[in-house]
Amino acid sequence: MTSYQQMNNPSNSRGMSGSSGGGNYMDVVSDMPLENKQHQTMMWQQNQYMGDSGIHSGATTQAPSISSKGHGDEMEDESMDTSRMFDWGQDFGQGFTQEQVDEMNQQLNQTRSQRVRAAMFPETLEEGMQIPSTQIHPDQPTAVQRLSEPSQMLKHAVVNLINYQDDADLATRAIPELTKLLNDEDQVVVSQAAMMVHQLSKKEASRHAIMNSPQMVAALVRAMSNTNDVETTRCAAGTLHNLSHHRQGLLAIFKSGGIPALVKLLSSPVESVLFYAITTLHNLLLHQEGSKMAVRLAGGLQKMVVLLHRNNVKFLAITTDCLQILAYGNQESKLIILASGGPGELVRIMRSYTYEKLLWTTSRVLKVLSVCSSNKPAIVEAGGMSALAMHLGHQSQRLVQNCLWTLRNLSDAATKVDTVENLLQMLIQLLSSNDINIVTCATGILSNMTCNNQRNKITVCQVGGIEALVRTIMQAGDREDITEPAVCALRHLTSRHPEADMAQNSVRLHYGLPVLVKLLHPPSRWPLIKAVVGLIRNLALCPANHAPLREHGALPRIVQLLIRAHQDTQRRASMASNSSQQGPGYVDGVRMEEIVEGTVGALHILAREGHNRAVIRGLNCIPLFVQLLYSPIENIQRVAAGVLCELAADKEGAEIIEQEGATAPLTELLHSRNEGVATYAAAVLFRMSEDKPQDYKKRLSVELTSSLFRGDPMSWNEGMGVEDLGAMLPPDEPYRDAMYHPPPHHGSQSSMQNGSHHDMSRSGYDSQVPVDSMQGLDIGSHQGSNYGQLDQLPDLGPPSAELNFDGLDGMTPPQEGPIGGSAWFDTDL
């Protein structure tokens, strides 16, 4: 017989609990010879399992030792804990008599079934019945108690099934009658019916029955719309709220015309009604197709903006999320929010609250609005830049990311904002972030905010911005969505402000020159190359940078880029002449004429230094400069004449220029309407005439008099020389600041880094903002566009039958650091 069979055999249990002679079984074990210890152990184990397997007493596998009578040896008891109740040692008589022990053993055996019943089916026991407990420690349940858990679960499941069917049957029978009552003329009857339907909607089975009855849902909507009774409205709205956690319920509400009725309730003074209405509309907007247009047509946007005055943070979080869903991709909605005063209220919320979810949803609305050319200045004027900057140090990465995207969208409209020192300092700190997207946004914002703003330029220079930007470019590698705006920011910081000279030196001192020259090589694209060429031109204004740039190979690479761009323009011009269409010469959003002008302009400044002039002459590019004098573009004429003016300072250069036939075009350019072009042309001719006969110089003086001093011929003195003419040359102006406009490939690069395949197309950016062109680059408009915002649609959260706002926690956006594969862009502009 196995131990399990013995345990379940009452006769065996009783027989082993006490001998026929009234002695205890343990006495038998104690009286056995000491030599047969193995047999003693075996007999004890048999008694242990037969006496109490642990089901009765919940005994653990550790028990005190058993002392043998008459011997000093001890045997280790491995199981029973009943020694806490019975003392099996020599002092047995001190606690209980043998009869008491037998009685206790018998009682435990007789109440075994009651203990099982008490653990598994406590409701079947009679009141007052005392069941002895075998639990030793309250933290250690007995075996019976552990087995009772699945039994209880099964029992509850069966009960729930029975109740579910009862609820479904009850609702099915009651719905037709309740529908009639909801349509009754007596408002008291309607109120009672609405209350009953609300109670039914709290249970899942009856809730399904309600949503599957179009007549019932329509009656609820009608009752909610027509009644003036607060309780009727509350119950009807509560029912619709419960139904909105199911797709079938959302569809039923939508088809029954529930959206206009719910929008009407947004004006209710009753808190609960208002909460029911906004949460139901939120669920509809998230998951029911066609609901967005229905809410717009019902005037929901205007009412939601008014609700932003309230102070319940969870309510505001849902309201702002509704606004974001409605405004995303819909320009009309953005303008309605603007007309309703939305930007000011949203900025106020960002300043006034600390609830992370509310700040996050509000920043998402601002992000959507920030690509609207009408909303953008309104947000900036309301103090949006500083309000968003307040949260850049927040521990929530999704909030920081959304604030940065919004700031980047707004940055081109905030160039005249001066009180942003804290924001600029925070952006410099964020450049050291490990999050690629944060660095991308920070560089874009810095680029735009240092555009044409002296105060911001000085601030960035004083807080270590030059070093941080150079380090960022080094670490970014070939990520042009970081390197390009960083280079643009450096270009702004190295010109047109009192600290510009320091900035030009600082780039060299922080080892930025070799990195910049490297960016002129593949795989850099034309937008980045254009920015680097402009920066090098600014850096060349500092004489100390000439030699390092030359040593790092900047001159031959710039000449290569010039030749390549010029060949491209010539090829396109040839193609255009063979066809009626005149296409713009854009490559990656950059006109090749801009590259020609930028490279020649950089060479113009670099040619100031004698060694650089020798290198340029050795690169055989003077014939190209002469050819560019014939360009129909005035700015290219200007930079070509400028570089020839510098190269003519050396006799070798002047001779080459004359040999290439530059005299004729230069003489023609003396009559240019652009004073800079005419002055440079005159300077080149003057330098070329140094070794010419006196008659030639006299004729040239007459020509210069008639061209340069048309208004005041007496200003020209025949005794003036080339030095005097040099004083008339245009000042060496650096490139004018220009907004950073990411080309189409930036988005795809940003997403490729994290495995996503969405495309940030050019249409994803607002292209309606005017661009400040660079000096000498006024050749049409740049085919770029401003940053657009990144919008995420919330996920479907778990349904909840309770009226609360915790369900908003389920709305997690796609991962934003780095950008997740489901990132979205507002492509409506």
Side-chain angles (χ1 to χ4, degrees):
M1 181 182 294
T2 65
S3 301
Y4 181 78
Q5 290 171 329
Q6 291 173 348
M7 178 188 70
N8 287 278
N9 190 328
S11 61
N12 287 345
S13 298
R14 284 193 297 271
M16 297 306 252
S17 296
S19 65
S20 57
N24 190 283
Y25 177 77
M26 295 305 297
D27 294 337
V28 179
V29 177
S30 302
D31 292 334
M32 293 183 69
L34 184 62
E35 299 80 40
N36 200 356
K37 290 187 177 180
Q38 183 177 2
H39 189 56
Q40 283 189 9
T41 303
M42 181 185 68
M43 293 295 292
W44 171 82
Q45 287 176 338
Q46 289 179 355
N47 177 67
Q48 166 66 20
Y49 289 126
M50 288 184 293
D52 183 357
S53 67
I55 290 181
H56 310 314
S57 64
T60 62
T61 57
Q62 295 178 350
S65 61
I66 302 176
S67 300
S68 300
K69 289 186 178 180
H71 300 284
D73 298 27
E74 289 187 349
M75 297 176 59
E76 290 296 327
D77 182 352
E78 297 180 355
S79 178
M80 282 194 61
D81 223 0
T82 52
S83 58
R84 299 191 183 192
M85 181 183 300
F86 310 121
D87 184 1
W88 297 111
Q90 297 175 354
D91 299 329
F92 171 78
Q94 294 180 3
F96 301 93
T97 63
Q98 183 62 47
E99 289 76 10
Q100 289 175 320
V101 172
D102 292 342
E103 184 181 350
M104 291 178 188
N105 285 337
Q106 185 175 4
Q107 183 182 8
L108 289 174
N109 289 329
Q110 290 175 348
T111 58
R112 179 187 302 153
S113 61
Q114 283 89 344
R115 289 199 304 277
V116 172
R117 184 184 303 173
M120 296 188 177
F121 307 101
E123 66 276 3
T124 62
L125 295 177
E126 298 179 3
E127 289 188 21
M129 177 178 288
Q130 295 294 328
I131 304 296
S133 174
T134 58
Q135 188 171 2
I136 302 301
H137 194 278
D139 293 335
Q140 296 177 352
T142 65
V144 172
Q145 289 172 336
R146 287 196 297 270
L147 290 172
S148 69
E149 293 181 13
S151 172
Q152 291 285 347
M153 292 174 63
L154 177 61
K155 182 186 68 174
H156 289 313
V158 173
V159 172
N160 288 339
L161 280 174
I162 296 171
N163 292 340
Y164 187 94
Q165 187 61 46
D166 290 345
D167 293 341
D169 293 342
L170 173 63
T172 303
R173 291 194 301 268
I175 281 175
E177 288 299 322
L178 289 171
T179 303
K180 293 179 182 178
L181 295 175
L182 286 172
N183 294 323
D184 197 280
E185 295 181 358
D186 190 339
Q187 291 301 308
V188 177
V189 173
V190 173
S191 178
Q192 293 295 321
M195 195 178 304
M196 293 181 66
V197 174
H198 186 211
Q199 292 299 321
L200 287 174
S201 71
K202 294 180 179 180
K203 296 184 177 181
E204 186 177 359
S206 50
R207 186 161 63 243
H208 281 282
I210 294 171
M211 70 179 69
N212 288 323
S213 172
Q215 296 83 4
M216 167 60 80
V217 178
L220 281 169
V221 172
R222 191 161 46 248
M224 188 173 68
S225 303
N226 298 334
T227 186
N228 293 323
D229 180 60
V230 172
E231 191 61 22
T232 302
T233 304
R234 186 188 68 80
C235 292
T239 303
L240 295 183
H241 166 79
N242 292 336
L243 301 184
S244 71
H245 292 98
H246 305 269
R247 293 193 180 275
Q248 182 64 28
L250 292 171
L251 182 62
I253 295 171
F254 180 74
K255 287 185 174 181
S256 301
I259 287 181
L262 289 166
V263 169
K264 182 181 176 183
L265 294 185
L266 293 179
S267 302
S268 173
V270 182
E271 285 287 313
S272 57
V273 171
L274 199 55
F275 279 29
Y276 280 138
I278 195 67
T279 50
T280 306
L281 286 170
H282 186 241
N283 289 336
L284 285 162
L285 290 170
L286 281 174
H287 313 300
Q288 179 57 52
E289 185 179 357
S291 60
K292 297 177 189 175
M293 184 56 65
V295 172
R296 293 182 189 120
L297 293 175
L301 278 164
Q302 294 89 331
K303 292 198 172 188
M304 288 178 185
V305 172
V306 172
L307 293 176
L308 296 178
H309 293 286
R310 305 184 71 86
N311 56 12
N312 184 300
V313 290
K314 293 188 176 182
F315 176 83
L316 287 174
I318 292 185
T319 305
T320 50
D321 201 55
C322 289
L323 287 173
Q324 188 270 336
I325 296 169
L326 291 167
Y328 174 80
N330 189 279
Q331 180 64 14
E332 184 181 354
S333 296
K334 296 174 187 177
L335 294 176
I336 292 174
I337 293 174
L338 173 63
S340 304
E345 284 300 312
L346 294 167
V347 170
R348 181 188 63 81
I349 289 173
M350 293 299 294
R351 288 185 180 280
S352 306
Y353 295 96
T354 58
Y355 182 51
E356 188 272 343
K357 196 172 284 86
L358 172 58
L359 295 173
W360 171 63
T361 54
T362 305
S363 67
R364 294 176 75 222
V365 186
L366 288 170
K367 182 174 60 178
V368 173
L369 298 179
S370 65
V371 296
C372 171
S373 57
S374 300
N375 273 283
K376 188 177 296 190
I379 297 172
V380 172
E381 290 171 10
M385 299 297 288
S386 57
L388 291 162
M390 291 170 55
H391 305 291
L392 292 183
H394 201 281
Q395 60 183 2
S396 169
Q397 285 300 301
R398 64 177 185 176
L399 173 58
V400 172
Q401 189 68 71
N402 276 280
C403 289
L404 282 171
W405 285 121
T406 310
L407 285 167
R408 191 184 69 170
N409 293 341
L410 297 173
S411 59
D412 61 342
T415 56
K416 304 304 180 186
V417 178
D418 290 327
T419 57
V420 288
E421 288 82 0
N422 292 336
L423 169 59
L424 294 172
Q425 192 163 358
M426 179 63 74
L427 291 171
I428 296 299
Q429 294 175 7
L430 290 176
L431 290 180
S432 59
S433 170
N434 294 325
D435 190 323
I436 292 296
N437 298 287
I438 289 178
V439 177
T440 302
C441 288
T443 52
I445 299 167
L446 284 169
S447 176
N448 283 345
M449 295 199 68
T450 52
C451 178
N452 296 321
N453 190 306
Q454 278 200 15
R455 183 170 179 177
N456 288 352
K457 292 180 183 181
I458 294 171
T459 300
V460 173
C461 288
Q462 290 176 345
V463 297
I466 300 293
E467 180 183 1
L469 286 166
V470 171
R471 184 179 63 249
T472 299
I473 294 171
M474 291 178 177
Q475 294 174 346
D478 58 355
R479 295 184 182 275
E480 294 189 24
D481 44 358
I482 294 177
T483 54
E484 187 185 345
V487 168
C488 289
L490 284 176
R491 190 181 62 198
H492 300 159
L493 296 170
T494 52
S495 67
R496 302 178 186 275
H497 69 96
E499 304 280 342
D501 294 342
M502 180 276 294
Q504 293 161 8
N505 278 291
S506 185
V507 173
R508 180 187 73 257
L509 295 174
H510 290 103
Y511 311 101
L513 297 185
V515 181
L516 294 173
V517 174
K518 183 179 179 182
L519 291 178
L520 293 175
H521 294 77
S524 298
R525 299 172 184 251
W526 284 116
L528 175 57
I529 290 172
K530 173 186 167 184
V532 174
V533 168
L535 174 56
I536 288 177
R537 185 186 187 280
N538 287 352
L539 295 175
L541 294 172
C542 173
N545 288 331
H546 284 203
L549 285 170
R550 181 179 66 251
E551 292 165 1
H552 291 301
L555 290 169
R557 182 55 186 166
I558 292 174
V559 171
Q560 288 176 2
L561 294 170
L562 165 60
I563 295 171
R564 180 179 167 190
H566 179 66
Q567 291 174 345
D568 190 274
T569 58
Q570 294 295 98
R571 184 175 64 256
R572 291 176 185 273
S574 175
M575 293 171 58
S577 63
N578 295 330
S579 62
S580 58
Q581 295 182 350
Q582 189 81 17
Y586 288 104
V587 180
D588 288 334
V590 177
R591 291 187 65 178
M592 289 298 98
E593 289 84 354
E594 295 176 329
I595 299 298
V596 170
E597 182 184 345
T599 51
V600 176
L603 291 170
H604 172 202
I605 306 300
L606 288 167
R608 292 261 181 96
E609 202 263 344
H611 290 86
N612 287 346
R613 288 197 295 272
V615 173
I616 294 172
R617 285 197 306 271
L619 292 170
N620 299 318
C621 52
I622 290 179
L624 178 54
F625 296 147
V626 175
Q627 185 180 351
L628 292 176
L629 295 174
Y630 293 97
S631 172
I633 300 170
E634 201 172 69
N635 289 322
I636 292 182
Q637 294 175 355
R638 182 179 186 275
V639 292
V643 71
L644 289 173
C645 177
E646 296 297 339
L647 293 172
D650 298 329
K651 184 178 180 180
E652 298 88 341
E655 290 175 353
I656 298 173
I657 293 170
E658 187 173 7
Q659 291 171 6
E660 294 298 330
T663 304
L666 288 170
T667 304
E668 183 68 26
L669 291 177
L670 289 174
H671 304 283
S672 172
R673 295 173 299 175
N674 187 308
E675 291 185 6
V677 174
T679 306
Y680 278 130
V684 179
L685 289 169
F686 219 95
R687 286 175 174 171
M688 288 167 55
S689 69
E690 286 295 307
D691 297 334
K692 297 294 186 293
Q694 193 64 31
D695 291 343
Y696 179 86
K697 291 182 178 181
K698 189 170 184 179
R699 288 196 305 272
L700 179 61
S701 297
V702 173
E703 185 69 25
L704 294 176
T705 302
S706 62
S707 59
L708 297 179
F709 300 95
R710 302 182 194 100
D712 187 10
M714 300 304 294
S715 298
W716 176 261
N717 186 336
E718 290 188 12
M720 293 179 70
V722 68
E723 295 82 4
D724 303 302
L725 184 62
M728 300 170 55
L729 293 176
D732 295 320
E733 293 185 353
Y735 277 3
R736 285 183 182 170
D737 297 347
M739 292 295 173
Y740 165 58
H741 302 281
H745 63 277
H746 280 137
S748 56
Q749 282 186 351
S750 176
S751 39
M752 282 164 54
Q753 71 191 353
N754 29 63
S756 75
H757 303 284
H758 69 277
D759 177 34
M760 187 191 297
S761 62
R762 184 180 303 280
S763 60
Y765 298 102
D766 178 7
S767 58
Q768 301 181 13
V769 178
V771 179
D772 293 337
S773 59
M774 291 187 289
Q775 174 77 19
L777 295 185
D778 299 314
I779 312 172
S781 61
H782 176 52
Q783 294 297 303
S785 54
N786 292 326
Y787 276 114
Q789 83 295 333
L790 201 67
D791 295 321
Q792 292 80 24
L793 298 179
D795 298 332
L796 176 61
S800 171
E802 298 297 327
L803 176 61
N804 62 65
F805 295 89
D806 295 333
L808 198 64
D809 292 319
M811 299 190 324
T812 55
Q815 295 299 317
E816 298 178 321
I819 305 176
S822 54
W824 298 83
F825 295 86
D826 192 339
T827 59
D828 58 324
L829 292 178

